[in-house]
């Protein structure tokens, strides 16, 4: 693994002290002192994520809503030696729901996740998750949602890994293999944790997450699990800039070898009306990394179902499906035998017809040409 770039950081105490010095020593008013501290540190390349930026006397880190929530969770955790039970589970579920709401990335105050992570939130949530009884389904789902909301960068995913997060999550997913909500929220954590982190990907693969994925895809669970397809895509994407040579190519071959490629083809048979068609197609494209796998996808009926979806997407003017299916078809056409099969099955005529229907959409036309 390539060396990571050193990032300058600062503690909450040091930040607060700098603001105080601006007021006491330089005579700045509080708002000016705060702004000056932020600008000065930013110009020096200091990472201020996770720092509560407030004027002294107008609320500090202890008054921050996310930190208050975290402190309550810490207390409940400290009071419980082993598994949680009874009223504790009710309180923990409510607090975890509050925490995920405060930290979810698309909320206005997205810095909350960094603040919680900087103050031991990921380690705490992992520990709490390990102490929730398997039968406490709602609490586990809430814990997974809170966990996913905190995994926003490499630092947070490293904390997750160091806290035993991969083993905890895979263990719970294995126990809850038939519970749709557990699977949805759990694979959301898998996708978030593996994103941009090669070491977490390896940890998950060492725990045989691929076999778990195959179990779910093989029809043991009813319902569409969007996050499952996201997890496949992330696990097979080389997106860690610290790594010179990623292992994801080998993971894709392993996925195909145990039958995930064929299982994904099966999931495409729901056609254009399936809510998972686009996600499953993207996941399948990530698995199709060599000629042998591309051929196996064709042998499993992948080309037939894709050409049907291409036709239907044109008739229903669904450009998202059109783009995605053409992109996957292009990947499969990397195999010479698949090229011939596409032509023999009338694929060229279908693509020409699709181009005519989306003649005003460059994004679709680009995928058709490719």
């Amino acid at each position: 693994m390539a060396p990571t770039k050193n990032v300058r950081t600062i503690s909450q105490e040091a930040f607060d002290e700098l603001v105080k010095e601006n007021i006491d020593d330089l005579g700045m008013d509080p708002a000016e002192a705060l702004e000056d501290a932020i600008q000065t540190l930013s110009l020096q390349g200091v990472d201020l994520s996770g720092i509560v930026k407030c004027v002294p006397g107008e609320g500090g880190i202890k008054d921050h809503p996310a930190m208050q929530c975290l402190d309550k969770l810490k207390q409940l955790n400290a009071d419980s030696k082993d598994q949680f039970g009874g009223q504790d589970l009710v309180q923990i579920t409510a607090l975890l729901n509050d925490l995920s709401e405060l930290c979810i990335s698309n909320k206005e105050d997205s810095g909350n996740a960094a603040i919680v992570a900087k103050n031991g939130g990921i380690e705490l949530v992992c520990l709490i998750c390990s102490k929730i009884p398997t039968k406490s389904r709602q609490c586990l789902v809430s814990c997974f949602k809170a966990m996913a909301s905190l995994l926003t960068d490499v630092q947070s995913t490293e904390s997750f890994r160091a806290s035993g997060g991969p083993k905890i999550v895979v263990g719970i997913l294995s126990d809850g293999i038939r519970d749709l909500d557990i699977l949805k929220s759990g694979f959301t954590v898998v996708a978030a944790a593996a994103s941009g982190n090669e070491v977490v990907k390896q940890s998950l693969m060492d725990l045989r997450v691929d076999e778990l994925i195959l179990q779910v895809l093989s029809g043991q669970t009813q319902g569409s699990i969007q996050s499952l397809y996201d997890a496949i895509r992330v696990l097979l994407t080389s997106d860690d800039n610290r790594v010179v040579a990623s292992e994801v190519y080998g993971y894709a071959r392993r996925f195909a070898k145990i039958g995930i490629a064929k299982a994904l083809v099966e999931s495409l048979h729901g056609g254009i009306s399936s809510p998972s068609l686009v996600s499953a197609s993207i996941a399948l494209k990530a698995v199709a990394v060599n000629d042998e796998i591309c051929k196996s996808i064709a042998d499993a009926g992948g080309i037939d179902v894709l050409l049907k979806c291409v036709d239907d997407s044109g008739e229903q003017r669904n450009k998202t499906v059109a783009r995605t299916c053409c992109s996957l078809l292009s990947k499969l056409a990397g195999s010479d035998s698949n090229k011939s099969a596409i032509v023999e099955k009338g694929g060229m005529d279908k693509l020409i017809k699709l181009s005519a229907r989306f003649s005003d959409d460059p994004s679709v036309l680009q995928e058709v040409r490719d």
Side-chain angles (χ1 to χ4, degrees), residues 16 30 43 75 96 131 137 149 160 166 242 307 317:
D16 292 342
L43 288 171
Q75 187 58 56
L96 288 169
K131 294 166 70 174
R137 170 180 163 276
S149 74
F160 171 80
R242 303 169 300 168
L307 290 176
R317 302 288 296 177

Side-chain angles (χ1 to χ4, degrees), residues 73-91:
L73 284 169
K74 284 180 180 177
Q75 187 58 56
L76 283 168
N77 179 65
D79 292 342
S80 176
K81 299 298 181 185
D82 299 308
Q83 281 196 334
F84 296 109
Q87 190 60 32
D88 282 350
L89 286 170
V90 176
Q91 294 182 62

Side-chain angles (χ1 to χ4, degrees), residues 347-359:
M348 294 307 297
D349 291 337
K350 294 178 188 296
L351 291 172
I352 290 169
K353 188 187 298 184
L354 187 73
S355 297
R357 282 174 168 155
F358 288 102
S359 58

Side-chain angles (χ1 to χ4, degrees), residues 131-195:
K131 294 166 70 174
I132 298 172
T134 307
K135 63 182 180 181
S136 301
R137 170 180 163 276
Q138 189 53 56
C139 193
L140 286 171
V141 170
S142 296
C143 198
F144 278 162
K145 288 180 178 178
M147 198 179 286
S149 74
L150 294 171
L151 300 175
T152 59
D153 54 23
V154 173
Q155 287 75 27
S156 60
T157 56
E158 274 299 302
S159 296
F160 171 80
R161 181 188 63 80
S163 302
K167 185 175 182 179
I168 293 168
V169 172
V170 171
I172 294 170
L173 282 170
S174 298
D175 290 337
I177 195 71
R178 298 182 187 278
D179 190 304
L180 193 60
D181 289 333
I182 291 284
L183 293 174
K184 284 180 177 178
S185 55
F187 278 112
T188 298
V189 175
V190 170
S195 182

Side-chain angles (χ1 to χ4, degrees), residues 121-139:
I122 293 170
E123 294 84 352
L124 177 64
V125 172
C126 285
L127 182 56
I128 287 173
C129 197
S130 70
K131 294 166 70 174
I132 298 172
T134 307
K135 63 182 180 181
S136 301
R137 170 180 163 276
Q138 189 53 56
C139 193

Side-chain angles (χ1 to χ4, degrees), residues 186-204:
F187 278 112
T188 298
V189 175
V190 170
S195 182
N197 195 319
E198 184 81 12
V199 186
V200 172
K201 293 186 208 292
Q202 183 179 348
S203 296
L204 290 164

